[in-house]
Amino acid sequence: GNPSTLYSLARKPRKAVASARERIAACIGAKPEEIHFTSGGTEADNWALEGAAFCSPDRQGQIVTSSIEHHAVLHTCDFLGRLGYCIDLLPVNQDGTVAASVLEELLREDTILVSIMLANNEIGTIQPIRELAEVTHRHKSLFHTDGVQAVGHIPVDVKELGVDMLSASAHKFNGPKGCGFLYIRDGIAIEPLMHGGAQEHGRRAGTENVAGIVGMATALEEHQKQLKHEMTYLCGLADILLGHLRETGLDFLVNGSSNRIPGSLSLSFRGADGEMLLHRLDLMGTAVATGSACDSKAAVLSHVIQAIGVPDDYKHGTVRITLGMDNNEKDARTIAGQIARILK
Ligand code: PLP
């Protein structure tokens, strides 16, 4: 049954989608009507940026983002730049944090939107979103955050953060792939990205991915229930892994801020080759990433590692390890041992 139709067969899927919307809203402190289902984080990011930009009457104005955003934001900004909008990229400090004072200096009268990610997908750094949103609102501009790496892993409350829009993706919290949502605060008008039917309060056309939406709500609720335990457990596992690595005497840097997503580690080994390390670890049964998972086929140094200025003799030896609830202490020890065996 198609949830948008009138026959009785549609009642069950319609109820399932409505309930998923309520359950997701409750997890992030939003109202159900502020949740808009999308095909994932990429669509949510594209929609937030393009939707806000296209509201500008003269198709001009400034859009501000950071130099370490995911390509779903950076490439959308490139596109909007080609259309004539002014795109400004904020620098980050060595741990990947954006300073509110730097943002304030850059804002202009015609700033349409500021988009800064809640947590970085490579180095895990969590941004001071509340502060950045406050600065943006003082300038009467909109604030969007890419919450794809954060939702389901740290407490996220859209009202406490004070954001106008937030993107999320189900597969980042063990939900189905190809499903996500965009939170749009009540009263914020942005142009649709998808034109057609009247789904998603008439703002995002297309028959709902019912199974994906229900799976996403259930996965997020599951994470939410054990959030505190998960955060403590994963921080502990990461510490064990780092402790064992340090004992091996390997020379490496831990990238990003100490305020980062639990279980997310970006490590740069001096004189090593991250891609070689990835393939050797893969043969040993351990899956890691080098740069961003989305461009791990390209051997170019990631824009995030460049932006935070990892020293030359370490930067090519960068790997990203993401520990999850299926990992245990033994895994942490094993991974450290495998890395030591390969590099020594
Ligand atoms: N934003 C961030 C920070 C991400 O890490 C990702 C995916 O890795 C995306 C956006 C894109 O999300 P999706 O793969 O659901 O389109």
Side-chain angles (χ1 to χ4, degrees):
N2 182 333
S4 299
T5 50
L6 293 175
Y7 46 68
S8 56
L9 200 61
R11 215 169 292 143
K12 202 170 169 187
R14 188 161 52 242
K15 269 191 175 169
V17 170
S19 147
R21 202 184 302 282
E22 282 168 15
R23 292 189 287 144
I24 288 174
C27 288
I28 63 159
K31 297 182 214 158
E33 59 275 21
E34 294 176 318
I35 304 297
H36 303 77
F37 296 123
T38 66
S39 62
T42 300
E43 183 190 328
D45 284 344
N46 273 255
W47 185 15
L49 273 78
E50 290 175 38
F54 294 159
C55 281
S56 149
D58 48 5
R59 294 288 163 103
Q60 277 175 359
Q62 184 203 32
I63 292 167
V64 179
T65 189
S66 84
S67 52
I68 61 165
E69 298 296 311
H70 189 271
H71 285 135
V73 166
L74 289 177
H75 288 171
T76 304
C77 284
D78 290 345
F79 168 65
L80 291 170
R82 289 197 298 276
L83 295 187
Y85 293 90
C86 168
I87 309 295
D88 278 312
L89 295 190
L90 283 164
V92 292
N93 67 17
Q94 264 192 334
D95 70 10
T97 311
V98 173
S101 54
V102 181
L103 170 64
E104 187 138 36
E105 274 170 30
L106 205 69
L107 293 175
R108 311 190 316 204
E109 269 203 357
D110 68 345
T111 307
I112 300 169
L113 175 82
V114 175
S115 177
I116 308 289
M117 68 205 317
L118 183 39
N120 183 266
N121 50 303
E122 289 190 41
I123 55 176
T125 297
I126 298 170
Q127 300 291 351
I129 293 299
R130 197 190 156 93
E131 219 184 318
L132 297 167
E134 266 172 23
V135 168
T136 306
H137 288 150
R138 277 207 295 276
H139 281 256
K140 312 249 177 298
S141 308
L142 292 177
F143 191 91
H144 164 254
T145 189
D146 175 341
V148 167
Q149 290 287 333
V151 172
H153 299 285
I154 55 170
V156 172
D157 184 305
V158 286
K159 299 288 181 287
E160 267 176 33
L161 290 172
V163 297
D164 300 305
M165 292 183 275
L166 175 140
S167 308
S169 176
H171 73 99
K172 300 296 181 187
F173 45 84
N174 303 103
K177 291 161 186 69
C179 196
F181 65 88
L182 179 65
Y183 156 81
I184 309 175
R185 186 163 64 81
D186 214 3
I188 300 291
I190 63 166
E191 284 291 329
L193 193 65
M194 307 293 228
H195 300 269
Q199 291 89 352
E200 300 305 298
H201 331 299
R203 302 176 100 178
R204 195 275 188 185
T207 297
E208 298 88 341
N209 172 3
V210 179
I213 289 167
V214 172
M216 172 163 66
T218 303
L220 185 54
E221 272 185 332
E222 290 295 313
H223 270 260
Q224 210 67 14
K225 269 189 232 152
Q226 52 163 7
L227 200 59
K228 270 202 181 133
H229 163 67
E230 181 174 325
M231 288 171 68
T232 313
Y233 179 76
L234 293 179
C235 285
L237 270 194
D239 284 346
I240 292 169
L241 200 158
L242 287 176
H244 280 284
L245 270 179
R246 289 195 177 106
E247 276 170 21
T248 66
L250 285 172
D251 184 353
F252 67 97
L253 301 173
V254 183
N255 301 314
S257 160
S258 54
N259 181 25
R260 61 172 179 262
I261 293 292
S264 163
L265 286 173
S266 167
L267 308 176
S268 295
F269 294 91
R270 184 157 181 246
D273 173 353
E275 203 181 324
M276 177 278 291
L277 199 48
L278 178 154
H279 291 300
R280 297 283 299 273
L281 283 169
D282 193 24
L283 290 174
M284 294 174 166
T286 298
V288 301
T290 48
S292 156
C294 309
D295 59 16
S296 61
K297 279 191 216 132
V300 288
L301 196 64
S302 108
H303 63 290
V304 179
I305 296 304
Q306 290 185 50
I308 61 170
V310 177
D312 284 349
D313 41 349
Y314 289 86
K315 63 187 183 188
H316 293 288
T318 304
V319 287
R320 181 161 59 96
I321 303 168
T322 310
L323 297 163
M325 291 306 283
D326 292 333
N327 293 124
N328 55 30
E329 231 180 284
K330 185 166 165 268
D331 295 331
R333 277 198 307 272
T334 304
I335 297 166
Q338 289 172 340
I339 294 175
R341 252 184 23 238
I342 297 165
L343 294 183
K344 287 191 171 183

